[in-house]
Amino acid sequence: MDLKNEMEAYWNEASEEEKMVLTGIMKGLKRKRENTYSTYISSLMDMQLRKLNESTVEITIPVTPFLDNTIGIVHGGLTATLMDTAMGTAANLSLPENSAAVTSEMKINYTSPGTGKFLRCIAQVLHHGKNVIVTEAKVYGDQEQLISLSTGTFFIIKK
C-alpha cells in the first residue's frame, strides 16, 4: 500500500483528535516547505518567536494533543525542546553571522503540569563569554503559572 492510500485509510477510521493531530502535522510540514520555519521541530510545534530585546526572546506554542504524554499533559521532553530552542535563539542572536551557539549543558526543573491553551517561554542571556554563553528560560502556562525553568550553557563555534 502506498502512502497516499495509507493516509486515506487512516483518515477514514480516525477519531476527531487523530484528525486534528494529523492536520496539525500536515500544516507543520507545509510551513517548513514554505520556509516559514527553519526546522521541522519548530514548525511541527508551531513555535511563534518574538524578540523582546537584544538578549531576550519569547516563544509561544499552542498546547495540542500532539504534545501530550500518556497522562494528557505536555510531554516534558517537548517542554525541554521549547526551552532549549528559546535559549539557543537568545544565544545565537548575540553572535556575529560567522558564529553559532550549540547546547553543551541544560538543567531543568519542572514545577507544574503543562496544561491549558498555550505555553510561553521567556529566555535570556545571563552571561556572554569568549567561548560560552549562559542562559535561562522560564515556561508559563496560559494562566501565568510557572511550568518549568531551565539554565543552559552554549558553546560558541565557528560556522
Side-chain angles (χ1 to χ4, degrees), residues 83 87 106-109 135-138 148-152:
M83 290 186 289
M87 291 187 296
M106 190 170 163
K107 162 78 169 85
I108 304 167
N109 291 98
T135 61
E136 76 171 1
K138 293 181 180 175
S148 59
L149 56 140
S150 179
T151 57

Side-chain angles (χ1 to χ4, degrees), residues 4-124:
K4 183 179 178 185
N5 289 334
E6 285 184 48
M7 294 286 288
E8 188 174 306
Y10 181 86
W11 187 264
N12 290 336
E13 298 176 10
S15 68
E16 287 306 310
E17 180 177 280
E18 291 168 332
K19 287 179 180 180
M20 182 174 66
V21 169
L22 185 56
T23 300
I25 291 169
M26 294 305 297
K27 286 180 179 178
L29 293 173
K30 184 178 178 192
R31 288 188 298 259
K32 171 64 171 90
R33 182 181 49 193
E34 294 169 346
N35 292 316
T36 304
Y37 291 89
S38 59
T39 66
Y40 285 106
I41 195 68
S42 62
S43 181
L44 291 170
M45 291 176 69
D46 196 13
M47 294 182 181
Q48 301 297 313
L49 172 67
R50 189 167 65 115
K51 184 177 174 182
L52 301 180
N53 60 45
E54 293 305 312
S55 64
T56 308
V57 299
E58 174 186 77
I59 297 179
T60 305
I61 61 169
V63 172
T64 68
F66 177 74
L67 304 176
D68 284 355
N69 65 14
T70 57
I71 60 171
I73 62 175
V74 176
H75 189 286
L78 294 172
T79 304
T81 298
L82 172 61
M83 290 186 289
D84 185 42
T85 301
M87 291 187 296
T89 300
N92 277 289
L93 285 173
S94 71
L95 294 171
E97 285 189 29
N98 66 339
S99 296
V102 295
T103 311
S104 62
E105 181 272 337
M106 190 170 163
K107 162 78 169 85
I108 304 167
N109 291 98
Y110 298 96
T111 58
S112 300
T115 60
K117 293 184 182 353
F118 64 86
L119 297 182
R120 182 174 62 90
C121 181
I122 306 287
Q124 66 179 338

